[in-house]
Amino acid sequence: MTQLRTVQVLGGGSAGSSAHVKSLTAGLVARGVRVSVCAPDSLERIYDFRGCGADHVPVARRGDPMSLGALRAACSTADVVHAHGLHAAVRSAVALGGQRVPLVVTWHTRVYADGPRGHLLRLLERRAVRAAAVVLGASSELVDRARRRGARDARLAPVAVPSPRRVPALGDDAQDDSNGKARAELGATGRPLLMAVGSLVPDRGYGTLLDAARAWRALDPVPLLVIAGEGRERAALQGRIDNEGLPVSLVGRRDDVTELLAAADVALLPSRWEARSLLAQEALRLGVPLVATAVGAVPELVGDAAELIPYGDATALAETVTRLLGDPDRRAELASAGRVRAATWPTEDDTIAHVLSVYDELTQPSPR
C-alpha cells in the first residue's frame, strides 16, 4: 500500500491550533502517515514538529510570491493538504490553484472585525471554505458559520489537545511542593493566585480583567493575577497596571504554563469568543476552578463544571472570583466536576482517528 502523504499548514498559529497540529502530526506519523508541516520557523522552535517525525517546511505567514511558491511546492506531492485557521486556509487555496489535491480546513476559532475589514474577512472566509473538500469546525457555531459561507461539506470535529503530562491528585505531596515553588516564583506566596493565559489582543477580554482587578485590591490578602502570553496589547496593559497600581503580573510567553496553571487557585477565561479553549481544557483536567465567559463553545465544553459569566461584565467577574476565593468547598466541588467533565471529551486518539478517516474518504478511489 502506498504511504499516505499529508501537508499540515499553519499560519501565525494560535496556541490551540499549534498544539493540535503537533498532536495530530505525532499521531499520524505513528500510524504510518508521512507528514510535512508548513509553518513559520518560530513555531517549529516552540513546537518541534520535526521531533514528532514530520518534515518541517519553513513558510512565513505571508501571501507574497516566495512564500506561496514554497507552499505550492510542498503541497504538490501531497495526497491531502490540511490547513488550520483562516489565513492558512486562504493561502493553501491559492497555492493549490490548478492542483488536484483535496484541501481539508479546520476552523479552530473565529475573528471579529467591523466595517471594511469585516467585509474583507467574510470574503476570505468564503474563499477558504469554498475551496475546501471538507471543513472541520471545532464547535457547532463554526460549522454553521462555514455552511453559511458556502462550504460544500462542513462537519463538527472537536479538537482534543494533549493532556497535561501529569494530572495531580488531591493531597499529592510532590504536586503540592511543585505548586509551592511555582507560586513562590510568581510572588504569590501567602496570597491567592489567579491565572489567565492567551495572546494579548483585544478580543481576549483583558481590559475587563484589569477592571475586575481593581476590586480585588480590597481583599485581604490581595490576590495576584498572572497573565501568560504576548501580543500587541502588552504595552497598553502594562501601562494600566502601573498607573492604577493593579495586582497583576504579565509574565510573557511561557513553556511551563501547565505547571503555573496547576498552582493557581482560580483560572480565568474572559474572552469575547472561544471554541474549545486550550486554557479551559487544561484547567478542568488539572482540577483548577474556572471562571469563564459564556460565549461560543465554552458552555458546551465545560457544562456545569465552571462558573460562567457574561462577556465584558467586570462586576460579575470580580464578584464571582471573590466568592470563590472565600468558599473552599465550592472550589473543591468545581475541581472534582472539572475532572469528571474532562473525562467525557474526545481523546487525542479519537481526534486522530477521525481526521484520518476524513483523509481516507478523500483519497480512496470512488466505487464504480
Side-chain angles (χ1 to χ4, degrees):
M1 179 180 290
T2 305
Q3 185 182 32
L4 182 67
R5 297 162 298 173
T6 76
V7 171
Q8 307 291 318
V9 184
L10 275 166
S14 67
S17 61
S18 298
H20 170 61
V21 169
K22 179 174 182 176
S23 169
L24 182 59
T25 295
L28 291 173
V29 170
R31 288 161 176 77
V33 179
R34 180 177 175 182
V35 181
S36 296
V37 178
C38 293
D41 281 326
S42 59
L43 293 183
E44 168 60 22
R45 288 193 293 271
I46 296 171
Y47 293 96
D48 188 21
F49 303 114
R50 287 194 183 99
C52 298
D55 297 320
H56 171 240
V57 181
V59 177
R61 189 184 182 274
R62 297 192 299 267
D64 61 275
M66 183 174 295
S67 297
L68 288 175
L71 182 57
R72 182 178 179 83
C75 295
S76 63
T77 59
D79 296 304
V80 179
V81 173
H82 192 162
H84 299 265
L86 178 59
H87 292 289
V90 171
R91 291 187 297 118
S92 296
V94 173
L96 285 173
Q99 298 188 45
R100 297 174 62 85
V101 179
L103 174 64
V104 177
V105 170
T106 292
W107 270 7
H108 295 266
T109 187
R110 60 171 294 182
V111 180
Y112 282 90
D114 299 315
R117 188 167 180 268
H119 177 67
L120 175 61
L121 179 65
R122 290 188 291 274
L123 292 176
L124 291 175
E125 289 177 341
R126 284 198 289 270
R127 176 72 175 89
V129 302
R130 293 178 181 182
V134 176
V135 177
L136 303 177
S139 70
S140 301
E141 184 178 342
L142 288 173
V143 172
D144 292 340
R145 187 178 182 88
R147 289 171 179 161
R148 290 197 303 271
R149 296 291 185 260
R152 290 173 285 169
D153 186 342
R155 312 177 190 181
L156 180 64
V159 173
V161 296
S163 298
R165 290 186 295 275
R166 180 171 179 270
V167 179
L170 294 175
D172 186 322
D173 291 339
Q175 185 62 38
D176 290 343
D177 183 58
S178 175
N179 289 351
K181 291 179 180 177
R183 295 173 73 97
E185 181 205 339
L186 295 171
T189 301
R191 61 193 297 197
L193 174 61
L194 311 176
M195 189 82 195
V197 181
S199 302
L200 306 183
V201 294
D203 288 342
R204 289 289 185 178
Y206 291 137
T208 301
L209 198 50
L210 295 193
D211 291 340
R214 285 202 297 262
W216 298 328
R217 292 179 300 187
L219 300 179
D220 184 19
V222 178
L224 174 65
L225 168 61
V226 171
I227 302 175
E230 285 292 354
R232 64 181 183 274
E233 293 289 299
R234 182 182 181 111
L237 294 172
Q238 189 63 60
R240 279 198 59 187
I241 293 166
D242 295 339
N243 293 335
E244 299 175 33
L246 301 177
V248 181
S249 177
L250 304 181
V251 297
R253 184 178 288 111
R254 301 283 295 239
D255 58 9
D256 59 347
V257 165
T258 297
E259 288 77 8
L260 300 183
L261 185 59
D265 296 289
V266 179
L268 304 175
L269 183 67
S271 305
R272 179 178 181 179
W273 194 91
E274 291 281 352
R276 296 184 67 85
S277 161
L278 182 61
L279 172 67
Q281 292 185 63
E282 290 198 332
L284 266 61
R285 282 173 171 157
L286 290 165
V288 178
L290 173 69
V291 177
T293 44
V295 297
V298 172
E300 66 184 82
L301 177 69
V302 304
D304 296 328
E307 295 276 0
L308 299 179
I309 58 171
Y311 168 72
D313 191 334
T315 299
L317 176 57
E319 291 177 349
T320 301
V321 170
T322 299
R323 174 170 51 81
L324 281 179
L325 292 178
D327 189 348
D329 290 340
R330 176 56 177 162
R331 295 203 307 274
E333 179 184 328
L334 286 174
S336 177
R339 290 188 173 97
V340 171
R341 182 72 178 184
T344 69
W345 296 333
T347 64
E348 286 183 88
D349 283 344
D350 293 334
T351 297
I352 294 160
H354 179 254
V355 170
L356 191 54
S357 72
V358 173
Y359 294 171
D360 287 342
E361 178 185 330
L362 295 175
T363 56
Q364 295 301 317
S366 300
R368 292 177 181 264

